[in-house]
């Protein structure tokens, strides 16, 4: 039996009594998975990809009775889980209270080799083993799986990033990027009291989704191709001053230089899209000093942000239709096609549905 097998025999052999197995899963395809697929983030291989997953409990380990919020758990319950967890004891966890910077932190679908027991530690499989310490959430019946998978890690990333940055009431906001992270940042900013919001990106179908999510104006990079033209468009839109806050959700280094110039003097700039290292870029730090900018970075999320995302999705299902981001469904055997569809921007979001033919 190969090291990445996901058949029931391997599940029986490696089952721990401390945590559940989840089956009937819906893993979503984040842009991060495309970067990993292309080898743009150094990780140990081989690995089973998939860190945005919803599943049903197949079996509970002894002593596991409740989820992170205290709700009782049983076999058959539909659950989601935080893709990574911190040690809780290190300098960053215990003293600085920044668990996302825990040096012992590892993520499902990224940080675990599948040739080492218990093997099944990623979403692109029929079964998923949840290690001791995993933060599990029982999902409410009124929250569709498509909503949670459509939002994925992008929403909890955006919640954390906007929490760190902060917006003032009626701030004018520019969002660079119209993918899942950009749409999530748009939704969080809109619900946090932002005034007008401009979304820059493409292709056209993603910008149409941005309008559905409440963007007041969109700027198509396939039409407005020159960075200086986009900067001027933002200045005109904002009364000649620039945006109060610019949220980078692209992951391309050149967006950083462009975005700084879109800020008004004394404005804020959040770098949210650079989970993967896309390389350096030349820029003049004088811009930050001269414009008195506040520049923020934000990495991943904490368990509390997952709970906040569940509550947010339940309260805003019609206002922010994350379920509509799930545009393409694939069986597990066509995972490479799903990744290609995401990489080529053919889908808003691709998902794997177990049992789909």
């Amino acid at each position: 039996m190969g090291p990445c097998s996901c058949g029931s025999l391997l599940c029986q052999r490696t089952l721990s009594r401390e945590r559940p197995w989840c089956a009937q899963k819906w893993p979503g395809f984040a842009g991060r998975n495309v970067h990993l697929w292309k080898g743009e983030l150094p990780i140990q291989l081989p690995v089973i990809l998939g860190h945005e997953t919803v599943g049903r409990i197949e079996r509970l380990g002894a002593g596991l009775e409740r989820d992170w919020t205290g709700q009782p758990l049983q076999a058959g319950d539909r659950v989601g889980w935080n893709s990574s967890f911190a040690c809780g004891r290190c300098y960053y966890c215990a003293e600085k209270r920044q668990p996302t910077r825990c040096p012992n932190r590892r993520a499902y679908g990224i940080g675990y080799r599948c040739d080492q027991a218990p093997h099944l530690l990623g979403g692109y499989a029929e079964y998923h083993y949840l290690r001791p310490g995993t933060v599990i959430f029982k999902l409410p019946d009124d929250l569709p799986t498509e909503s949670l998978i459509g939002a994925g890690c992008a929403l909890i990333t955006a919640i954390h990033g906007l929490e760190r940055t902060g917006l003032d009431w009626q701030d004018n906001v520019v969002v660079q990027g119209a993918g899942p992270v950009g749409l999530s940042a748009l939704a969080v900013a809109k619900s946090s009291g932002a005034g007008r919001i401009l979304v820059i990106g493409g292709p056209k179908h993603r910008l149409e989704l941005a309008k559905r999510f409440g963007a007041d104006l969109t700027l198509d990079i396939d039409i407005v191709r020159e960075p200086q033209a986009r900067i001027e468009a933002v200045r005109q839109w904002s009364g000649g001053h620039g945006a109060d806050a610019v949220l980078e959700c692209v992951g391309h280094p050149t967006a950083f230089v462009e975005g700084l110039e879109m800020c008004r003097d004394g404005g804020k700039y959040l770098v949210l899209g650079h989970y993967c290292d896309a390389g350096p870029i030349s820029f003049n730090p004088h811009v930050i000093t001269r414009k008195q900018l506040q520049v923020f970075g934000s990495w991943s999320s904490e368990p509390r942000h997952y709970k906040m995302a569940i509550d947010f999705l339940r309260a805003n299902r019609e206002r922010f239709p994350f379920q509509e981001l799930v545009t393409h469904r694939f069986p597990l055997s066509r995972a490479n096609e799903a990744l290609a569809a995401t990489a080529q921007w053919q889908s808003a979001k691709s998902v794997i549905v177990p049992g789909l033919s």
Side-chain angles (χ1 to χ4, degrees):
M1 180 179 293
C4 293
S5 172
C6 51
S8 59
L9 281 177
L10 183 57
C11 294
Q12 295 297 325
R13 289 176 184 173
T14 60
L15 180 62
S16 166
R17 297 287 298 168
E18 298 175 319
R19 284 285 140 177
W21 278 99
C22 283
Q24 303 176 36
K25 301 183 291 78
W26 277 54
F29 281 75
R32 183 184 308 177
N33 288 329
V34 174
H35 291 296
L36 292 167
W37 182 50
K38 291 181 176 180
E40 294 174 353
L41 185 68
I43 60 173
Q44 294 188 38
L45 299 175
V47 67
I48 298 175
L49 292 177
H51 61 277
E52 302 176 330
T53 313
V54 170
R56 292 193 178 275
I57 295 175
E58 181 77 7
R59 189 183 303 178
L60 282 170
L64 180 59
E65 299 176 350
R66 297 183 181 276
D67 75 351
W68 196 70
T69 67
Q71 294 188 79
L73 291 173
Q74 62 182 1
D77 282 345
R78 188 172 57 112
V79 295
W81 53 91
N82 225 47
S83 64
S84 61
F85 50 93
C87 72
R89 302 179 301 274
C90 70
Y91 171 77
Y92 285 105
C93 287
E95 186 171 337
K96 294 304 178 183
R97 298 183 181 180
Q98 294 198 24
T100 59
R101 301 309 309 133
C102 171
N104 304 308
R105 186 175 175 271
R106 297 175 74 183
Y108 292 122
I110 300 172
Y112 294 101
R113 295 174 61 114
C114 64
D115 60 352
Q116 298 173 357
H119 306 292
L120 303 183
L121 298 171
Y124 299 1
E126 296 170 352
Y127 289 86
H128 196 309
Y129 173 71
L130 301 183
R131 300 179 68 95
T134 302
V135 174
I136 302 169
F137 295 89
K138 182 179 178 179
L139 301 178
D141 293 338
D142 62 353
L143 178 62
T145 296
E146 290 89 343
S147 293
L148 193 60
I149 290 297
C153 68
L155 179 57
I156 54 179
T157 297
I159 291 172
H160 185 209
L162 268 294
E163 179 184 79
R164 289 179 55 81
T165 308
L167 293 178
D168 291 329
W169 181 252
Q170 293 297 293
D171 271 353
N172 288 326
V173 176
V174 168
V175 178
Q176 293 177 285
V181 176
L183 292 173
S184 296
L186 163 62
V188 176
K190 201 74 175 178
S191 63
S192 299
R196 296 185 304 151
I197 301 181
L198 186 158
V199 175
I200 302 173
K204 184 177 179 180
H205 68 85
R206 286 188 170 183
L207 294 177
E208 290 299 322
L209 275 171
K211 293 176 183 177
R212 290 285 311 278
F213 275 64
D216 297 282
L217 182 68
T218 60
L219 202 61
D220 193 333
I221 59 174
D222 290 328
I223 297 175
V224 186
R225 291 180 174 270
E226 294 301 319
Q228 191 58 44
R230 294 192 288 265
I231 292 168
E232 289 300 323
V234 169
R235 287 176 178 163
Q236 291 179 20
W237 171 78
S238 58
H241 305 293
D244 297 300
V246 177
L247 314 177
E248 182 278 316
C249 305
V250 179
H252 196 286
T254 57
F256 175 79
V257 179
E258 185 176 330
L260 292 177
E261 294 289 355
M262 292 176 176
C263 294
R264 66 163 173 83
D265 288 3
K268 298 178 179 179
Y269 190 75
L270 171 63
V271 184
L272 198 60
H274 282 263
Y275 179 83
C276 294
D277 186 351
I281 190 72
S282 176
F283 84 99
N284 187 352
H286 172 69
V287 174
I288 297 174
T289 304
R290 174 177 55 82
K291 293 171 71 72
Q292 293 189 167
L293 299 181
Q294 299 180 69
V295 180
F296 298 85
S298 185
W299 181 263
S300 192
S301 63
E302 302 173 28
R304 60 191 177 87
H305 298 123
Y306 199 113
K307 176 62 167 59
M308 293 165 69
I310 291 174
D311 294 341
F312 179 85
L313 291 169
R314 294 180 73 188
N316 294 281
R317 184 178 171 188
E318 298 301 324
R319 185 182 182 192
F320 304 119
F322 280 95
Q323 65 276 6
E324 294 184 14
L325 268 64
V326 179
T327 56
H328 290 61
R329 294 167 172 82
F330 297 85
L332 182 59
S333 60
R334 294 172 59 194
N336 283 335
E337 293 178 50
L339 284 161
T342 302
Q344 296 165 13
W345 290 9
Q346 295 172 356
S347 65
K349 194 150 201 178
S350 302
V351 299
I352 291 176
V353 182
L356 188 68
S357 59

